[in-house]
């Protein structure tokens, strides 16, 4: 196999581990009877791991271990943590298992990217196609659950989200040892230790500060979608528990298509308009959730907006940072925004939305708990509109659009 194919398969497995459990994590915790604060604490593990992972993988791991061996060990131990989590039904053991898994898995996201960049002849041209493997992996891993879960899935069935993730993690641990040798970056010892400080200082620049605030708001909305969507589809819309992950995976299918057109959209519309469209995608999707919950075809179709939400905002932010920020702090600035998207936003969403769902839950006509999803979804819709206003009025980047062609 060529290096690109091998790296593509690495990305397929890397994101499949995450995609196996992410859509049903919060509904599963509800099945186990965890309180909203307990669900929030579990959700915050990802943010803690993202924060620690930046320093561990960037400042220690990539200077002392070959990347492919670091990946192999992390996924072997992470798989064991997932197996433990699958069979933990009380809160503290479950939280401990999931936290250990998060601490092991999150650093592998940047390490797998590093392996790809180090072994591609033209990373700027080829990385997008390699990274697309992750999106495909997220989609493919939803298929086993058609057979593993029932229409009214029980906790004993849903625990398979962790067992499937563990199996993929073990496969990736073995596969990592076959990847091209990527030695530790000994020369990184001379890297500027003040780069993070300089990147943070950029927040004093008005357009950077505005983008930072808007990215935080949008990352809370984006992570909130994964907190609420599966429960909404199964409990309110009536989609079978073994099909909900397939429905959600339509968003990743749309993401593939959207990424291919993103470059052209950026050239034609510019940074601001493209980002605004991405945020409006969230507002549109949650509005449809709020007012068309009785129409299964409409709810399924609106999942396709996920591609617009992700590519037109988050992917655009990464491209914008690479194009506009000073070269000597560009990598640190990417890490800063990545921490916001994967870490801080995830923590905020994990605390905000489970608590809102708890407050908006009442007893239905049959005595069963019923969530007021219409009111609930107005919250992220309103947040998205606030972010749009901030971006439209106060975001004034030095360049209106990319000055060089953007590869998909």
């Amino acid at each position: 196999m060529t290096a690109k194919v091998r790296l593509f398969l690495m990305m397929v497995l890397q994101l499949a581990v995450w995609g196996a459990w992410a859509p049903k994590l919060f509904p599963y915790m509800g099945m186990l009877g965890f309180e909203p604060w307990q669900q929030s604490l579990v959700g915050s593990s990802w943010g803690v791991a993202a924060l620690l992972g930046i320093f561990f993988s960037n400042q220690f791991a990539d200077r002392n271990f070959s990347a492919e061996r670091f990946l192999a060990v992390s996924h072997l131990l992470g798989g064991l943590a997932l197996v433990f989590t699958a069979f933990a039904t009380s809160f503290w053991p479950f939280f401990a298992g999931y936290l250990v898994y998060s601490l092991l898995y999150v650093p592998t996201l940047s390490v797998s990217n590093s392996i790809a960049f180090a072994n591609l002849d033209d990373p700027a041209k080829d990385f997008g196609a390699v990274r697309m493997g992750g999106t495909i992996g997220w989609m493919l891993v939803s298929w086993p659950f058609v057979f593993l879960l029932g229409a009214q899935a029980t906790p004993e069935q849903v625990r398979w989200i962790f067992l499937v993730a563990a199996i993929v993690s073990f496969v990736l641990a073995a596969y990592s040892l076959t990847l091209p040798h990527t030695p530790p970056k000994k020369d990184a010892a001379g890297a500027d230790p003040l780069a993070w400080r300089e990147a943070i200082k950029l927040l004093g620049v008005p357009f950077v500060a505005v983008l930072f605030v808007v990215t935080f708001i949008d990352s809370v909305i984006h992570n909130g979608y994964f907190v609420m969507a599966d429960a909404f589809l199964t409990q309110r819309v009536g989609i079978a528990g073994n099909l909900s992950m397939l429905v959600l995976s339509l968003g990743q299918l749309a993401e593939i298509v959207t990424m291919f057109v993103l470059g052209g959209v950026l050239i034609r519309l510019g940074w601001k308009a493209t980002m605004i469209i991405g945020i409006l995608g969230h507002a549109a999707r949650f509005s449809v959730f709020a007012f068309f919950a009785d129409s299964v075809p409409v709810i399924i179709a609106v999942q396709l907006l996920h591609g617009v939400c992700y590519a037109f905002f988050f992917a655009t932010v990464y491209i914008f940072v690479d194009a506009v920020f000073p070269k000597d702090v560009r990598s640190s600035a990417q890490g800063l925004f990545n921490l916001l998207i994967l870490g801080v936003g995830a923590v905020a969403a994990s605390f905000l939305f489970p608590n809102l769902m708890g407050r908006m839950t009442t007893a239905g006509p049959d005595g069963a708990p019923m969530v007021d999803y219409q009111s609930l979804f107005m919250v992220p819709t309103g947040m998205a509109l606030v972010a749009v206003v901030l971006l439209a009025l106060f975001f004034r980047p030095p360049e209106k659009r990319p000055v060089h062609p953007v590869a998909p």
Side-chain angles (χ1 to χ4, degrees), residues 3-309:
K4 283 193 287 188
V5 173
R6 294 165 69 189
L7 296 170
F8 179 88
L9 291 176
M10 174 190 71
M11 289 296 185
V12 169
L13 296 169
Q14 176 72 42
L15 270 293
V17 176
W18 186 358
W21 57 263
K24 287 191 176 291
L25 172 63
F26 281 87
Y28 178 64
M29 289 193 288
M31 291 179 178
L32 296 181
F34 293 175
E35 298 293 329
W37 71 267
Q38 294 173 320
Q39 296 182 34
S40 299
L41 198 59
V42 171
S44 69
S45 302
W46 198 256
V48 171
L51 177 61
L52 296 179
I54 284 176
F55 296 103
F56 180 73
S57 62
N58 290 354
Q59 303 300 321
F60 179 71
D62 62 1
R63 299 180 187 180
N64 295 276
F65 304 99
S66 63
E68 75 280 3
R69 292 180 181 177
F70 177 83
L71 207 63
V73 173
S74 296
H75 281 295
L76 173 62
L77 298 177
L80 294 173
L82 284 165
V83 172
F84 177 85
T85 304
F87 292 98
T89 55
S90 56
F91 173 69
W92 288 111
F94 181 93
F95 172 61
Y98 182 80
L99 177 61
V100 170
Y101 157 71
S102 300
L103 292 170
L104 290 164
Y105 178 82
V106 171
T108 67
L109 291 169
S110 60
V111 172
S112 59
N113 286 344
S114 297
I115 292 175
F117 279 116
N119 292 283
L120 288 171
D121 294 330
D122 189 349
K125 176 184 176 183
D126 297 330
F127 180 73
V130 168
R131 177 57 180 79
M132 202 74 73
T135 303
I136 293 173
W138 188 294
M139 293 170 56
L140 291 177
V141 80
S142 64
W143 280 96
F145 297 100
V146 175
F147 310 101
L148 293 172
L149 307 182
Q152 302 295 326
T154 64
E156 290 73 22
Q157 293 173 338
V158 179
R159 72 165 53 144
W160 272 100
I161 61 175
F162 298 112
L163 295 176
V164 169
I167 292 169
V168 179
S169 192
F170 292 141
V171 171
L172 181 51
Y175 180 71
S176 296
L177 296 176
T178 72
L179 291 170
H181 178 56
T182 308
K185 303 173 185 176
K186 297 300 184 182
D187 59 337
D192 180 7
L194 300 180
W196 270 97
R197 190 180 305 177
E198 294 302 315
I200 292 174
K201 284 182 180 178
L202 287 173
L203 295 178
V205 179
F207 79 86
V208 178
V210 171
L211 183 60
F212 195 79
V213 171
V214 170
T215 300
F216 169 71
I217 295 172
D218 201 58
S219 65
V220 174
I221 300 168
H222 176 76
N223 284 287
Y225 167 77
F226 290 103
V227 172
M228 301 181 287
D230 191 86
F232 168 68
L233 292 179
T234 56
Q235 298 172 12
R236 175 63 180 87
V237 181
I239 291 174
N242 61 331
L243 297 179
S244 61
M245 291 179 70
L246 280 182
V247 172
L248 292 172
S249 73
L250 292 175
Q252 277 66 47
L253 177 63
E255 183 182 319
I256 295 174
V257 176
T258 312
M259 287 295 288
F260 275 106
V261 303
L262 176 60
V265 172
L266 278 172
I267 294 296
R268 289 173 176 81
L269 299 183
W271 303 114
K272 180 188 290 191
T274 303
M275 291 181 190
I276 286 175
I277 292 172
I279 300 173
L280 286 175
H282 282 300
R285 177 168 57 180
F286 280 116
S287 295
V288 170
F289 279 8
F291 295 104
F292 295 92
D294 294 320
S295 176
V296 174
V298 172
I299 294 299
I300 292 176
V302 83
Q303 302 301 326
L304 297 174
L305 279 178
H306 178 83
V308 173
C309 297

Side-chain angles (χ1 to χ4, degrees), residues 351-370:
F351 276 90
L352 174 62
F353 292 108
N355 280 284
L356 283 177
M357 290 179 74
R359 293 181 183 182
M360 295 182 182
T361 300
T362 56
D366 58 354
M370 183 175 64

